[in-house]
């Protein structure tokens, strides 16, 4: 444990562009104003979520006139007094490396910036935040955890100012709040926003409050018409608490995606899941509600055009480009639509006809048109808004009919499985994960869905009374896991061969009179 003679050690774990260097400079400036010998070093990281960077600071706990202390250049596991992390996984990374123990005060944000590996996963590749938080609380002497990103955006500042406020509010710095604010005041640009973020984080850390990310959904709900909000509140109040949270988010998502009727349809389906749930099937019910909300808001050309042409998106691009007022930012969207994307938004009969023609003529996967649309221009913006304005026609489209039919079959299976085989139902609740993307990815997803349904779900429904819940659940989980780890769809090819489906025919080269062979004919199906 540290003594009065040992240096005060502080480790900052931040991402690139978050102002971690500015925070380190503020802390060094505060120490110098207090007459405390101090040393700071930084270690830049590699390109992962814009680059993780560590800043390490050592300083004397008391002024020492005439003494010349020797400080370390890098942190030592088990020898860190305070660790501050700008994001939850960065905090977990430091925990894993041994920098958090019984002497450490951990100050970290609970929001997430997802890694490339998490984003690339075919299903939900995110790390479980509750496990990360649990590890932090279990190993640290004291943990101050709250959503710093919410405060950062609310006050229009950068997270370094909020981290500084959290450190000061946690009472771990050997100087007063006034010293911190004076250093920020002298820093120059963005002083008022930095002071506002500092003060909000100071109050939150000192009071032990948790600034929950649910605030964003609450604000959205507050903007609903009074009659709709009252109707939804009355319906949600009859459901379990876990379902209420999921259903509220799902209904708001469906409302934004389509209209009130679509959100009402979602709530009706949630009601069916709640009604079919029995003790022991709660996990299946909750997972089904979550996946249903995502599935009913599948992304098509209409949705993509709507999201890319929203004012909030233009503001976000300008913010990420760090454009000043008056500077011009040009945005060019890259599209490569094929017959399947076009057919998806056409009326059902017309879309089915186009798909049939494209398959007969070999256009699928080949006939793509590369488009570069500058949405920052009037013409490009109007093109996307025109596509977005097709939203009222979506319920009559081919893709909507296909997704709605698959959703109905899956929902019916969940209602039948939950009372009899809750473990299998919890596994089948994750089946919609294989349906995603567009073009060839979407086609493979449909094949994956059909294969898993034929091999596991349909037999279980046919022999529901004689089903072994544990064995069936384990088999389905293994099959689903293998499918999600097979982005090229090789399992679908193997399934087609086993089931006697269409198989490719390979023509052998024809021998000539001299024994040579002619050019091989390309494979045909």
């Amino acid at each position: 444990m540290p003594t009065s003679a040992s240096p005060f050690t502080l480790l900052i774990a931040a991402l690139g562009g978050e102002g971690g260097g500015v925070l380190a400079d503020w802390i060094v400036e505060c120490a110098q104003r207090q007459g405390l010998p101090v040393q700071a070093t930084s270690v830049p990281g590699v390109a992962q979520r814009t680059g993780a960077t560590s800043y390490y600071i050592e300083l004397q706990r008391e002024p020492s006139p005439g003494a010349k202390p020797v400080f370390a250049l890098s942190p030592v596991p088990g020898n860190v007094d305070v660790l501050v992390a700008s994001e939850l996984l960065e905090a977990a990374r430091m925990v894993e490396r041994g920098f958090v123990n019984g002497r450490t005060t951990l100050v970290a944000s609970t929001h997430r910036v997802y890694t490339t590996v998490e984003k690339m996963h075919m299903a939900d590749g995110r790390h479980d935040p509750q496990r990360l938080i649990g590890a932090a609380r279990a190993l640290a002497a004291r943990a101050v955890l709250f959503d710093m990103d919410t405060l950062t955006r609310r006050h229009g500042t950068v997270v370094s100012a909020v981290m500084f406020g959290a450190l000061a509010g946690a009472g771990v710095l050997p100087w007063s709040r006034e010293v911190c604010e004076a250093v920020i005041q002298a820093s120059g640009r963005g002083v008022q926003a930095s002071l506002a973020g500092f003060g909000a984080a100071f109050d939150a850390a000192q009071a032990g409050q948790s600034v929950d990310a649910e605030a964003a959904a609450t604000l959205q709900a507050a903007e609903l018409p009074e009659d709709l909000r009252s109707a939804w509140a009355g319906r949600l109040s009859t459901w379990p608490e876990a379902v209420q949270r999921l259903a509220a988010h799902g209904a708001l998502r469906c409302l934004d995606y389509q209209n009130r009727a679509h959100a009402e349809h979602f709530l009706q389906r949630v009601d069916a899941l709640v009604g079919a749930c029995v003790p022991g099937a709660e996990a299946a019910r909750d997972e089904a509600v979550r996946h249903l909300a995502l599935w009913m808001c599948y992304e098509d050309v209409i949705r993509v055009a709507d999201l890319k042409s929203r004012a909030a998106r233009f503001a976000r691009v300008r913010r990420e480009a760090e454009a000043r007022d008056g500077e011009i930012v040009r945005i060019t969207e890259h599209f490569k639509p094929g017959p399947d994307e076009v057919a998806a938004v056409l009326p059902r009969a017309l879309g089915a006809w186009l798909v049939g023609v494209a398959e007969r003529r070999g256009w699928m996967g080949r006939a793509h048109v590369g488009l570069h649309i500058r949405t920052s221009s009037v013409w490009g913006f109007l093109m996307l808004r025109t596509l977005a304005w097709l939203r009222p026609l979506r319920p009559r489209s081919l893709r909507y009919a296909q997704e709605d039919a698959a959703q109905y079959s899956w929902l019916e299976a969940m209602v039948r499985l939950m009372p009899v085989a809750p473990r299998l139902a919890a596994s089948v609740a994750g089946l919609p994960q294989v349906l995603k993307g567009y073009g060839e990815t979407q086609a493979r997803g449909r094949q994956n869905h059909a294969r898993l349904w034929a091999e596991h779900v349909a037999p279980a429904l046919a022999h529901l009374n004689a089903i072994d819940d544990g064995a069936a659940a384990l088999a389905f989980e293994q099959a689903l896991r293998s499918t999600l780890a097979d982005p090229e769809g090789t399992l679908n090819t193997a399934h087609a061969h086993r089931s006697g489906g269409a198989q490719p025919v390979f023509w052998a080269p024809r021998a000539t009179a001299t024994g040579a062979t002619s050019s091989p004919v390309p494979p045909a199906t």
Side-chain angles (χ1 to χ4, degrees), residues 231-241 243-244 271 274 285:
W232 284 6
R235 173 174 290 185
L236 296 178
S237 64
T238 63
W239 295 338
E241 184 177 346
V243 176
Q244 290 183 35
D271 196 41
V274 172
R285 176 200 63 200

Side-chain angles (χ1 to χ4, degrees), residues 189 318 322-328:
R189 184 179 176 183
R318 288 189 63 86
E322 298 183 358
R324 301 188 184 93
D325 293 340
E327 289 185 337
I328 298 175

Side-chain angles (χ1 to χ4, degrees), residues 17 39 76 87 242 274 300 314 326 334 340 377 409 418 434 453 470-471 489 522:
Q39 176 178 278
V76 177
E87 188 264 355
V274 172
D300 55 7
F314 287 106
H334 295 261
D340 42 359
S377 67
S409 299
M418 279 195 291
V434 303
W453 189 276

Side-chain angles (χ1 to χ4, degrees), residues 398-476:
L398 174 63
R399 176 79 182 275
Y400 187 93
Q402 294 172 337
E403 299 290 353
D404 189 65
Q407 291 164 13
Y408 180 83
S409 299
W410 171 80
L411 182 66
E412 185 180 29
M414 290 298 302
V415 170
R416 293 181 60 190
L417 286 173
M418 279 195 291
V420 179
R423 289 185 59 186
L424 177 59
S427 302
V428 174
L431 180 59
Q433 296 176 86
V434 303
L435 295 169
K436 60 183 61 183
Y438 54 89
E440 295 181 2
T441 301
Q442 182 193 358
R444 284 194 296 269
R446 292 191 179 282
Q447 293 173 354
N448 287 331
H449 184 277
R451 174 175 52 80
L452 292 173
W453 189 276
E455 291 184 347
H456 297 275
V457 182
L461 295 175
H463 306 89
L464 201 56
N465 294 329
I467 192 172
D468 185 335
D469 188 20
L474 180 60
F476 185 85

